[in-house]
Amino acid sequence: MEELTGDRRVEDERSLIKTPSNVQANNQEHDSPTSTRQKRSVQHGSPCFVYTLAFFSALGGFLFGYDTGVVSGAMLLLKREMNLSSLWQELLVSITVGAAAVSSLAGGYLNGLYGRRICILLASFIFSAGGIILSVAPNKEVLLCGRLTIGLGLGIASMTVPVYIAEVSPSELRGQLVTINTLFITGGQFIASVVDGVFSYLPHDGWRYMLGLSVVPAALQFLGFLFLPESPRWLLQKGDTQNARLVLTRIRGGVNVDEEYESIRSSIEEEKIDAGEGPVLWRILTFAPARRALIVGCGLQMFQQLSGINTVILMVLATGFLLSAQASPPVTFHPNDPSLHNSTCITYGFCESCMLNPDCGFCYGKNGTVVIETSCMPVDAANTEAAVAGRCSNGTQESLGVFWAYNYCPTSYSWIVLLGLILYLAFFAPGMGPMPWTVNSEIYPLWARSTGNACSAGVNWLCNVLVSLTFLHVAQSLTYYGVFFLYSGLALLGFVFVLGCVPETKGLRLEEIEPLFGRQLCSFGAGSTQSVQYTRVNGGNYRSDEDVTDDE
């Protein structure tokens, strides 16, 4: 009786779809994996609804980019209007990153419990609340509260959005659609720079508009997701088979739904057997394919933050800073102002060492292209664009024909550093920028996907904090060119890691990716997973077609 009931339920679910696929499924039994993927690409097409889902999801990426971009311009106005100390400036910037690290880890539990759609709604609501708090903040304490709130929303969105897009996307469009999130991050940073420029001319409260306008995309995302569906894979995992099939039909346009639905359903059933009992993180660590996927995902996020670009381009930056340091102008003019005698700035002999002290700046004149009459002076705490006294103090530079350099030195090698930065962006944007998020959204089995993405996003944010907190201290110890040579070494390690440990997932369904981690993690090209298919056997282990052939 139970078997008949189960069969009837499956037939009832299939009756929701008008497009027959039994003949198609029978034909595909004899197809190779490559031909199956090619047919799948033709059959899915590119439904407009999937792009709509990706657009509203990627608004979370836009918010991420906007916040990271707008805060620099807002801080220039805030530190003057609210008389912020260096400690408060660091707090207002770093508390957002710290809060995002914490909430991204909590986001894994929330995703598993409430689903992707609810978490995106929650993130956009929190971000809207944070933007309102920032726009009306009467003092720095309320500003800190607003920045904390923004961080909580960013963390949840950063790990949820790529997962949602990956789970609703056809396999042939998944990488493209997940990358839209990164494109929106870049777009958010660009819009933030424009907004900073527009409102920087206001005599007062320009920062309120800069920070408060983040409410607009956050509210748009919230309204959009009120009408958008939950991930069909999450619905199936929770046993809501009827709604899962309806959603899958809606986002696929009714084409080839039976095959994909059955693939997801059977994968979930097998995962229930393999996953075991206990906390999800413990199950990930004790289940070899999921553990290997977690190592790959966290490793990619770590190397994105610690290096972010291939070795050659970091090498270019390091060379530029090295040449700039070697050509650093000497200090030739020592002012006799008694108020400066206790300052360490006047003890430096070259611009490079003066520049590395955040309390000092470089004052100089010019004779054509030659730098003359140079001095290292204490910076004005209220305005880093001027010295605290002397020729380069506020209001005297233009009349005396002198120049003030804070955090850089005048050099003819600046073009090398600029070239390095341009190459950095050109190679980072299509590579280590989006790929860690794209890969992490794909490689985990469904029962581990939320927790795995939460862990990898947490690693990303924690490494972000680590780099931000240590950069200046490391630069003071190793100099700027030393820092970038260090990052070059880390980038080289990242290159080796990607080459040897990250499998190709192009054209595969999410349910077909887990077997790629059924073997030794880092093959370093010895066993490319592109051409090897793995089959699940008893006990949650996998064997490849090559193994099957050998056994035969």
Side-chain angles (χ1 to χ4, degrees), residues 377-432:
M377 302 289 292
V379 67
D380 188 347
N383 179 20
T384 58
E385 300 301 315
V388 70
R391 301 174 300 160
C392 286
S393 58
N394 196 24
T396 63
Q397 301 176 39
E398 185 175 350
S399 60
L400 295 177
V402 294
F403 303 89
W404 174 251
Y406 180 68
N407 204 34
Y408 72 94
C409 288
T411 174
S412 58
Y413 293 104
S414 299
W415 67 271
I416 297 180
V417 178
L418 180 61
L419 174 64
L421 291 174
I422 292 173
L423 292 175
Y424 176 99
L425 294 174
F427 285 89
F428 183 80
M432 283 299 286

Side-chain angles (χ1 to χ4, degrees), residues 5 10 19 26 37 161 204 246 271 299 344 428 463 471 510 523:
T5 304
V10 173
T19 303
N26 290 332
R37 288 197 294 269
V161 167
H204 299 288
L246 287 172
E271 287 174 359
T344 58
F428 183 80
C463 290
F471 180 81
L510 295 179
S523 60

Side-chain angles (χ1 to χ4, degrees), residues 41-76:
S41 176
V42 174
Q43 289 164 345
H44 274 157
S46 54
C48 181
F49 187 59
V50 174
Y51 287 100
T52 302
L53 292 175
F55 170 80
F56 280 100
S57 302
L59 286 174
F62 181 90
L63 290 168
F64 175 38
Y66 183 86
D67 179 78
T68 56
V70 81
V71 68
S72 57
M75 290 303 298
L76 294 174

Side-chain angles (χ1 to χ4, degrees), residues 41-377:
S41 176
V42 174
Q43 289 164 345
H44 274 157
S46 54
C48 181
F49 187 59
V50 174
Y51 287 100
T52 302
L53 292 175
F55 170 80
F56 280 100
S57 302
L59 286 174
F62 181 90
L63 290 168
F64 175 38
Y66 183 86
D67 179 78
T68 56
V70 81
V71 68
S72 57
M75 290 303 298
L76 294 174
L77 304 181
L78 279 168
K79 67 182 180 182
R80 182 173 65 246
E81 292 189 27
M82 291 194 173
N83 195 25
L84 298 177
S85 64
S86 297
L87 175 61
W88 267 98
Q89 293 178 50
E90 293 173 352
L91 278 176
L92 288 172
V93 174
S94 61
I95 196 171
T96 301
V97 181
V102 174
S103 64
S104 65
L105 293 173
Y109 173 77
L110 295 174
N111 266 262
L113 187 62
Y114 299 111
R116 316 337 182 185
R117 175 176 173 270
I118 295 298
C119 284
I120 293 177
L121 282 169
L122 176 63
S124 55
F125 176 80
I126 293 174
F127 210 106
S128 298
I132 293 173
I133 293 173
L134 291 173
S135 64
V136 300
N139 52 51
K140 57 188 179 184
E141 289 79 13
V142 178
L143 266 176
L144 190 67
C145 179
R147 294 290 297 164
L148 173 66
T149 306
I150 288 288
L152 295 176
L154 280 178
I156 297 174
S158 68
M159 63 83 41
T160 307
V161 167
V163 173
Y164 180 82
I165 297 177
E167 290 188 344
V168 301
S169 301
S171 56
E172 71 276 2
L173 294 176
R174 187 175 60 246
Q176 172 187 336
L177 294 177
V178 174
T179 304
I180 288 178
N181 186 54
T182 305
L183 177 63
F184 273 48
I185 293 176
T186 307
Q189 292 170 335
F190 172 74
I191 296 298
S193 64
V194 173
V195 170
D196 281 347
V198 170
F199 291 105
S200 63
Y201 294 100
L202 294 182
H204 299 288
D205 294 337
W207 58 269
R208 296 187 186 275
Y209 297 98
M210 297 176 184
L211 299 175
L213 282 175
S214 62
V215 173
V216 176
L220 180 61
Q221 185 182 50
F222 183 86
L223 292 174
F225 264 88
L226 289 177
F227 305 97
L228 295 177
E230 179 56 82
S231 160
R233 285 176 166 85
W234 185 86
L235 291 172
L236 259 175
Q237 186 186 35
K238 296 302 179 181
D240 192 353
T241 56
Q242 186 168 354
N243 279 327
R245 183 179 280 278
L246 287 172
V247 171
L248 194 60
T249 303
R250 186 181 178 192
I251 61 180
R252 295 291 183 267
V255 178
N256 203 30
V257 173
D258 280 355
E259 180 192 358
E260 185 172 3
Y261 176 85
E262 290 300 327
S263 174
I264 298 171
R265 188 182 62 81
S266 61
S267 178
I268 292 174
E269 292 299 323
E270 291 173 351
E271 287 174 359
K272 289 179 181 178
I273 300 174
D274 296 338
E277 300 295 333
V280 177
L281 183 57
W282 173 253
R283 287 152 56 191
I284 291 176
L285 295 176
T286 54
F287 183 58
R291 181 176 65 246
R292 292 164 185 152
L294 183 66
I295 293 172
V296 168
C298 291
L300 284 173
Q301 295 287 25
M302 179 184 71
F303 283 116
Q304 185 202 57
Q305 289 297 325
L306 295 184
S307 57
I309 196 58
N310 64 65
T311 308
V312 176
I313 311 308
L314 287 167
M315 287 296 288
V316 173
L317 286 170
T319 302
F321 279 112
L322 175 60
L323 292 175
S324 297
Q326 291 178 341
S328 175
V331 174
T332 60
F333 179 73
H334 297 277
N336 295 321
D337 192 334
S339 64
L340 303 178
H341 289 172
N342 293 328
S343 172
T344 58
C345 297
I346 63 174
T347 64
Y348 296 120
F350 287 87
C351 177
E352 182 200 8
S353 53
C354 174
M355 171 190 65
L356 290 174
N357 189 334
D359 297 324
C360 305
F362 194 67
C363 184
Y364 64 98
K366 271 190 172 183
N367 182 10
T369 59
V370 179
V371 175
I372 60 173
E373 295 183 346
T374 61
S375 58
C376 184
M377 302 289 292

